[in-house]
Amino acid sequence: KRLHIANNGLDGHGRRSFDLGRLPGFITVPMNACQINGMASSIYPNHLQKEDAMKAAELLQTIIAEMHGALMADVKELTQEHLNWKPAPGANPIGFLFWHLICTEDEFVHRLLEEPPIWQSQKWGEKLGLEASGHGTGFQEPEVDKVASLPLAEVMAYAESVIQATDEYLRSLDD
């Protein structure tokens, strides 16, 4: 059994919440029927036995996998015009934000693994003709625009590599 905490639709900040209930094998329980115990690393509804609970590592794996799936599905449909679009002058375009998110995840996970990020180890900067190191913090507008203009298929391939590494890391965790 897997737990789905029923909190679908928009959260209190207008952001889309993830619907884990769409995943096979999940049961749905209302948010107020759940006990959350971070110290014991489990989340479970009051009427289920603790041994039926989803462990924290499994919950994290599931949530991150759902987030990755939604992100990749949404981004793959975008055109280069969408990727370069800015809501206001000086704002970051979608293509840059996608790359920045993936680079940040890459650096974070590989820092935990005490390994160089995939961006460096697999020489993605060279593959994409981008001299940038890091994950885009402090970039000036021309650098941001160049990142947003990278071929989506190539950035998606880099993202797939990062997602695979993240998944492997999360599978190595236990409660």
Side-chain angles (χ1 to χ4, degrees), residues 38-51:
M39 298 304 287
S41 298
S42 64
I43 298 176
Y44 58 96
N46 294 331
H47 66 279
L48 293 179
Q49 298 297 317
K50 191 167 182 172
E51 54 271 10

Side-chain angles (χ1 to χ4, degrees), residues 10 12 39-40 44 56-57 63 103-105 112 117 131 139 153-154 169:
L10 298 179
M39 298 304 287
Y44 58 96
I63 290 169
C103 283
T104 301
E105 180 177 325
L112 292 172
E131 297 175 19
F139 277 21
E154 296 296 320
Y169 172 71

Side-chain angles (χ1 to χ4, degrees), residues 80 83-86 88 90-100 130 132 135-150:
Q80 195 60 52
L83 295 169
N84 291 332
W85 179 79
K86 296 178 183 184
N92 290 329
I94 295 169
F96 173 80
L97 294 172
F98 175 61
W99 174 84
H100 174 69
L130 192 64
H135 53 270
T137 301
F139 277 21
Q140 299 300 312
E141 194 166 0
E143 296 166 300
V144 168
D145 292 344
K146 184 174 182 178
V147 169
S149 297
L150 293 172

Side-chain angles (χ1 to χ4, degrees), residues 90-138:
N92 290 329
I94 295 169
F96 173 80
L97 294 172
F98 175 61
W99 174 84
H100 174 69
L101 176 69
I102 295 300
C103 283
T104 301
E105 180 177 325
D106 184 12
E107 287 192 18
F108 179 75
V109 168
H110 286 87
R111 185 173 294 150
L112 292 172
L113 292 168
E114 299 179 346
E115 297 174 355
I118 290 172
W119 182 262
Q120 292 173 354
S121 66
Q122 294 182 10
K123 302 186 186 314
W124 277 98
E126 291 176 24
K127 292 177 186 179
L128 296 173
L130 192 64
E131 297 175 19
S133 62
H135 53 270
T137 301

Side-chain angles (χ1 to χ4, degrees), residues 9 18 37 39 66 71 97 113 118 134 139 152 156 169-170:
F18 294 105
N37 182 348
M39 298 304 287
E66 176 76 8
L71 176 67
L97 294 172
L113 292 168
I118 290 172
F139 277 21
L152 181 58
M156 294 285 282
Y169 172 71
L170 291 174

